[in-house]
Amino acid sequence: MMKRADLSGNKKSALSLLEAARSRYESLQISDDLCGESGDDSSSGNPFYSTSPDSPTSASGCSTDDDNGGGRKKPHPLGQREVGEVARNVADGDLGIRTAHGTPRAEGREEQRDCTDGDTGGESLLREEREGNRREEGDAEQQVPIDNLEKEEGWTHTLQDRDAPYFSDTSGPTRKMPPTSSVMDFFQLFVPDNVIKNMVTQTNMYAKKYQEKFGSDDAWTDVTLAEMKYFFGYMISTSTHHCESVLSIWSGGFYSNRSIALAMTQSRFEKILKYFHIVAFRSSQTTHGLYKIQPFLDSLQNCFDSCFKPSQTQVLHEPLIDEDPVFIATCTERELRKRKKRKFSVWVRQCSSTGFICQVYIHLKEGSATDGLDTLKNKPQLHRMVAKNLCQNAAGKNYIIFTGPSITSFSLFEEFEKQGIYCCGLLSSRKSDCTGLPPSMLSNTGVPQSRGQYTIRVKENMSLICWYNRGYFRFLTNAYSSVQQGVIIKRKSGEIPCPLAVEAFAAHLSYICKYDDKYSKYFISHKPNKTWQQVFWFTISIAINNAYILYKMSDAYHVKRYSRAQFGDRLVRELLGLEDTSPCH
């Protein structure tokens, strides 16, 4: 009886977790068009960032669509990455954003505005940052005097108007795909046959060497290109049909998938899985911890660069790499503990207009190699290195890069500006490198503030903004004018005045949050034990998401409008040879 009661209790707990997860996704109420699911094609512009015609930001070509529904989001049950936390609360509910046309203030005056006390319904840019600010408010008596010229030398209240960085480059796909293109054609823009053939060669070489060392394997025969595509198909199938292990496909249980199980036997799949390699042998000169996957990462990056040109505005952040919470709620505690053991971190540079991931940077968390996290104990130094690696191909293009608190730094932004890269980032006295910033702007005043009130300090092209919205939020930027004003609007409640940089930050990052919410559940759920294989399947998931974005922007989408889930299922069946490679079928 006791055991039966425990089972009943566990079942109820699992059901409650499932219901919570489902309600979380239902509460998002994201339009299918918005993230490319179905129906009429949505604009490739940013639907969260609409400006009035004569606004200086209206020339960016962003969409003015506002079809996202209301409803407040619940916190992600798996936890959010930093940039997701930054703008998620701005995107809560029924949000639209526009620029207000305020008259520039006279020079020499401190820029401050009060907003109406009407309830806007948006809590703040970052809940975690607000909680930290509340802790700082307790120390308001210890503020640094404003006239401390030694520490604040060069920062003034004199505001300077400036034009946005000039950007003339075209953005979007570099290759026009014909309307008859199949799903496989888009996937092979990033993972072409010659790359898969190299994996076939390396896998066979590793199997031969392994058997010479540990004894022959009579059940093994050299893998072929067709079999390697089958192998990929089975792995990718776990991105749309989540299961604890890819081997569940051949089981008779809940996660079985008989519709694709007959293309290859389970025993053959396990043999390929055992010997699968991208680089079979380590060179004597190799010291990089990811040497087994580095050639593939280089090839993938070259394909990203050659197939797509990003818009001017981009975001540096850690993407969500956890799975659909509905699936996670069904996992056992042992399985969850196993899945949390990641020995690498992933950072990306992502186009804020389309969601296309332009560059991926993998950083190992441990290891004796020079890329190990243990070689960089100072986190600001680590994040500075990550940002420089992600922007190494962006120099001289006048890109505007949005960053979270861990990357935002006065010295880094100055260095980027010399390279023709402009930045706008959220600043945190607890997470950011605040060297060179005026201390008086980093501490909170004990005087009550009105929502929308802000103070700006300027040094050359750099502006430091302290903005109040039920908590203090600080921004550092060299991309936007310190004079021009914007507005964050909640359609049904009201508006909050803010500098233009704050509006732009909230708008572009909220789009990335929507992208992460929609596409993070399509990552391959099979998690191998080896770090290089975890990195490999994660980057394959990114490649498929990028392929879908290019598909949405092509003529092939108008022939057959696949949702993201349908796109993934179609790719699996084409890899397994179960479907004709025509979008009309």
Side-chain angles (χ1 to χ4, degrees):
M1 288 295 292
M2 183 72 70
K3 185 179 292 187
R4 185 174 299 174
D6 290 343
L7 289 173
S8 176
N10 290 337
K11 186 175 181 181
K12 289 180 179 179
S13 176
L15 287 173
S16 63
L17 287 171
L18 279 169
E19 288 299 322
R22 290 193 185 103
S23 63
R24 186 257 173 188
Y25 269 100
E26 291 169 359
S27 69
L28 291 178
Q29 297 185 19
I30 303 174
S31 166
D32 283 342
D33 288 343
L34 189 72
C35 293
E37 281 294 286
S38 61
D40 294 334
D41 192 13
S42 58
S43 171
S44 61
N46 188 338
F48 291 90
Y49 194 32
S50 57
T51 58
S52 40
D54 52 347
S55 165
T57 53
S58 64
S60 62
C62 295
S63 170
T64 58
D65 294 340
D66 264 325
D67 55 357
N68 56 313
R72 175 166 179 77
K73 295 182 185 177
K74 301 179 182 178
H76 198 294
L78 303 175
Q80 292 287 1
R81 297 291 177 255
E82 182 182 76
V83 168
E85 294 171 338
V86 168
R88 184 164 307 280
N89 288 327
V90 176
D92 280 347
D94 197 3
L95 176 67
I97 296 178
R98 73 166 184 264
T99 300
H101 304 286
T103 304
R105 299 298 179 102
E107 292 188 358
R109 291 183 59 189
E110 180 173 346
E111 185 69 25
Q112 269 194 345
R113 291 188 57 193
D114 295 332
C115 76
T116 59
D117 251 348
D119 182 17
T120 63
E123 274 63 19
S124 63
L125 280 175
L126 177 57
R127 186 179 295 108
E128 179 184 340
E129 183 69 12
R130 183 176 63 200
E131 292 172 354
N133 288 333
R134 286 172 179 169
R135 290 195 292 270
E136 292 171 1
E137 287 172 9
D139 301 326
E141 296 81 3
Q142 303 177 11
Q143 291 184 71
V144 179
I146 294 180
D147 59 354
N148 190 341
L149 299 179
E150 292 183 355
K151 293 184 179 180
E152 301 188 3
E153 184 177 359
W155 292 92
T156 71
H157 296 294
T158 303
L159 305 187
Q160 301 174 359
D161 197 5
R162 56 170 298 180
D163 295 329
Y166 177 73
F167 185 75
S168 59
D169 200 3
T170 57
S171 61
T174 60
R175 182 185 307 180
K176 184 175 177 62
M177 299 293 286
T180 57
S181 299
S182 66
V183 170
M184 177 76 83
D185 291 332
F186 288 95
F187 175 68
Q188 293 203 316
L189 290 173
F190 307 120
V191 189
D193 271 349
N194 65 311
V195 171
I196 301 178
K197 287 177 182 177
N198 181 67
M199 296 177 193
V200 170
T201 302
Q202 295 295 322
T203 298
N204 289 332
M205 289 172 58
Y206 179 80
K208 181 179 178 181
K209 194 70 174 180
Y210 183 93
Q211 293 174 49
E212 288 176 357
K213 185 175 182 179
F214 298 103
S216 62
D217 185 350
D218 296 334
W220 170 257
T221 57
D222 282 354
V223 66
T224 64
L225 176 63
E227 286 181 317
M228 188 60 75
K229 289 184 178 180
Y230 292 173
F231 177 74
F232 269 65
Y234 284 122
M235 284 293 192
I236 293 172
S237 71
T238 65
S239 65
T240 52
H241 300 277
H242 296 299
C243 54
E244 294 186 7
S245 169
V246 66
L247 300 180
S248 300
I249 293 171
W250 291 274
S251 71
F254 178 77
Y255 294 110
S256 64
N257 192 343
R258 293 294 180 182
S259 64
I260 63 174
L262 299 179
M264 177 183 285
T265 63
Q266 179 178 348
S267 59
R268 180 58 176 167
F269 177 87
E270 288 178 341
K271 287 297 180 183
I272 299 175
L273 181 62
K274 177 180 179 180
Y275 296 119
F276 175 68
H277 266 72
I278 299 171
V279 175
F281 308 113
R282 181 170 186 166
S283 170
S284 57
Q285 292 83 18
T286 302
T287 58
H288 196 280
L290 290 172
Y291 76 94
K292 287 191 174 184
I293 193 180
Q294 194 60 52
F296 172 76
L297 296 178
D298 294 340
S299 171
L300 190 65
Q301 186 59 57
N302 290 334
C303 292
F304 287 170
D305 293 339
S306 63
C307 291
F308 186 84
K309 288 186 177 181
S311 64
Q312 184 181 24
T313 54
Q314 298 160 39
V315 178
L316 303 186
H317 71 115
E318 283 187 274
L320 289 172
I321 61 176
D322 298 307
E323 298 84 5
D324 182 358
V326 175
F327 164 66
I328 287 295
T330 65
C331 290
T332 62
E333 290 185 8
R334 179 182 177 184
E335 182 66 21
L336 287 175
R337 285 195 300 268
K338 178 182 176 182
R339 301 177 85 84
K340 290 177 182 177
K341 294 179 181 177
R342 271 198 304 112
K343 297 182 179 179
F344 64 94
S345 60
V346 181
W347 293 77
V348 300
R349 176 163 57 89
Q350 190 168 10
C351 173
S352 66
S353 294
T354 61
F356 189 95
I357 291 180
C358 311
Q359 190 162 351
V360 181
Y361 181 75
I362 309 295
H363 203 85
L364 297 182
K365 289 185 176 177
E366 50 186 62
S368 57
T370 55
D371 55 351
L373 283 180
D374 53 354
T375 64
L376 291 167
K377 300 297 184 182
N378 186 3
K379 282 198 172 185
Q381 182 185 358
L382 165 64
H383 295 138
R384 182 189 186 95
M385 183 200 70
V386 168
K388 291 172 72 173
N389 274 279
L390 285 172
C391 294
Q392 59 185 353
N393 298 329
K397 298 180 179 178
N398 283 358
Y399 287 150
I400 298 177
I401 306 295
F402 295 92
T403 66
S406 62
I407 293 179
T408 302
S409 161
F410 177 74
S411 60
L412 178 64
F413 284 13
E414 276 192 324
E415 182 178 343
F416 276 170
E417 186 174 5
K418 294 175 183 177
Q419 301 174 19
I421 304 172
Y422 299 87
C423 303
C424 180
L426 185 71
L427 191 69
S428 167
S429 59
R430 294 176 293 116
K431 293 183 178 181
S432 306
D433 178 7
C434 297
T435 306
L437 300 177
S440 64
M441 291 286 286
L442 302 177
S443 57
N444 299 330
T445 176
V447 180
Q449 303 288 311
S450 301
R451 297 183 69 181
Q453 189 174 10
Y454 57 84
T455 303
I456 302 178
R457 302 288 292 276
V458 176
K459 182 177 182 180
E460 297 178 350
N461 291 332
M462 201 76 64
S463 298
L464 176 58
I465 301 166
C466 181
W467 178 64
Y468 185 84
N469 179 25
R470 296 186 181 177
Y472 291 91
F473 299 95
R474 296 171 177 85
F475 299 85
L476 187 67
T477 182
N478 55 10
Y480 294 95
S481 169
S482 58
V483 174
Q484 296 178 18
Q485 301 165 2
V487 171
I488 292 180
I489 298 175
K490 187 82 161 71
R491 282 200 213 101
K492 298 180 180 179
S493 304
E495 58 184 45
I496 307 173
C498 64
L500 182 62
V502 176
E503 176 196 343
F505 183 91
H508 290 291
L509 267 76
S510 60
Y511 182 80
I512 295 301
C513 291
K514 292 287 188 180
Y515 171 94
D516 281 345
D517 278 330
K518 196 69 177 180
Y519 284 175
S520 64
K521 64 179 180 180
Y522 294 114
F523 286 100
I524 294 171
S525 62
H526 176 80
K527 293 294 184 291
N529 292 326
K530 296 180 180 178
T531 298
W532 73 265
Q533 290 188 11
Q534 293 176 17
V535 173
F536 175 74
W537 294 116
F538 175 71
T539 52
I540 287 290
S541 299
I542 289 179
I544 297 172
N545 282 342
N546 278 354
Y548 182 70
I549 290 171
L550 295 188
Y551 161 74
K552 276 281 296 180
M553 301 174 74
S554 73
D555 293 336
Y557 176 72
H558 301 289
V559 176
K560 185 67 175 180
R561 295 172 180 258
Y562 291 127
S563 69
R564 175 59 183 87
Q566 291 169 337
F567 185 88
D569 288 338
R570 178 77 189 192
L571 176 60
V572 169
R573 296 187 68 82
E574 290 183 11
L575 284 167
L576 294 174
L578 301 177
E579 293 286 351
D580 188 6
T581 57
S582 168
C584 298
H585 292 290

